[in-house]
Amino acid sequence: MSPEEPWGPAEPAGPTGAAVRRRTLRVAALALGLGVPAGVYLWHTDPHRPGQLLLPCPFKWATGLLCPVCGGTRMAYDLMHGEVARAFHDNAVLLTLGVPVAAYAVARWLGAGLAGRTYRPRVTGRGNAVVLGIAAVWMVARNLVG
């Protein structure tokens, strides 16, 4: 060991830009590979009609109450078919807040990854409190209104 490295050789600083790009492309390809068939299935399966082969909400199944994301599958179906007003009726908060935040996070991750940089969103305690507060208020409001 040299005097400059008393505890052994230095560890690499992190993955190279090329490695980050490859990992980003692999994850994006996997997401598309899983998402496209699911989207095609949903396109042909109207969740507004009973008896469809779709996963039920476990929270609603266990409690009979709507969770903050209940209606998300119907909302996605309606958006795919260009029915924005109907999607808004299915879950207004998820459509107006959740979809833009998710789109922003995915775009930032993909843009950084293709540029060879890692992107890890940082959510503070205050941010967690805001998200949980909005979810709780939305859940209570939609269950009280009906």
Side-chain angles (χ1 to χ4, degrees), residues 6 11 15 20 36 39 45 61 64 69 87 91 93-94 117 120 139-140:
E11 292 290 321
V20 172
V36 167
T45 306
W61 174 81
V69 294
N91 194 322
V93 170
L94 188 60
R117 297 183 312 270
R120 293 197 171 104
M139 187 174 92
V140 169

Side-chain angles (χ1 to χ4, degrees), residues 105-139:
V106 168
R108 284 283 310 265
W109 168 78
L110 190 57
L114 293 177
R117 297 183 312 270
T118 58
Y119 171 69
R120 293 197 171 104
R122 307 272 190 250
V123 181
T124 64
R126 183 177 289 164
N128 282 328
V130 167
V131 170
L132 290 174
I134 290 170
V137 168
W138 174 236
M139 187 174 92

Side-chain angles (χ1 to χ4, degrees), residues 36-125:
V36 167
V40 168
Y41 178 76
L42 184 59
W43 175 270
H44 297 289
T45 306
D46 186 354
H48 294 284
R49 292 190 337 215
Q52 301 297 323
L53 184 59
L54 295 167
L55 295 175
C57 173
F59 185 81
K60 185 175 181 184
W61 174 81
T63 66
L65 299 172
L66 297 172
C67 78
V69 294
C70 274
T73 304
R74 292 186 307 273
M75 182 190 74
Y77 175 86
D78 292 337
L79 287 175
M80 288 193 299
H81 289 84
E83 298 284 340
V84 178
R86 196 170 178 187
F88 185 83
H89 179 266
D90 292 329
N91 194 322
V93 170
L94 188 60
L95 179 63
T96 57
L97 298 177
V99 171
V101 168
Y104 172 78
V106 168
R108 284 283 310 265
W109 168 78
L110 190 57
L114 293 177
R117 297 183 312 270
T118 58
Y119 171 69
R120 293 197 171 104
R122 307 272 190 250
V123 181
T124 64

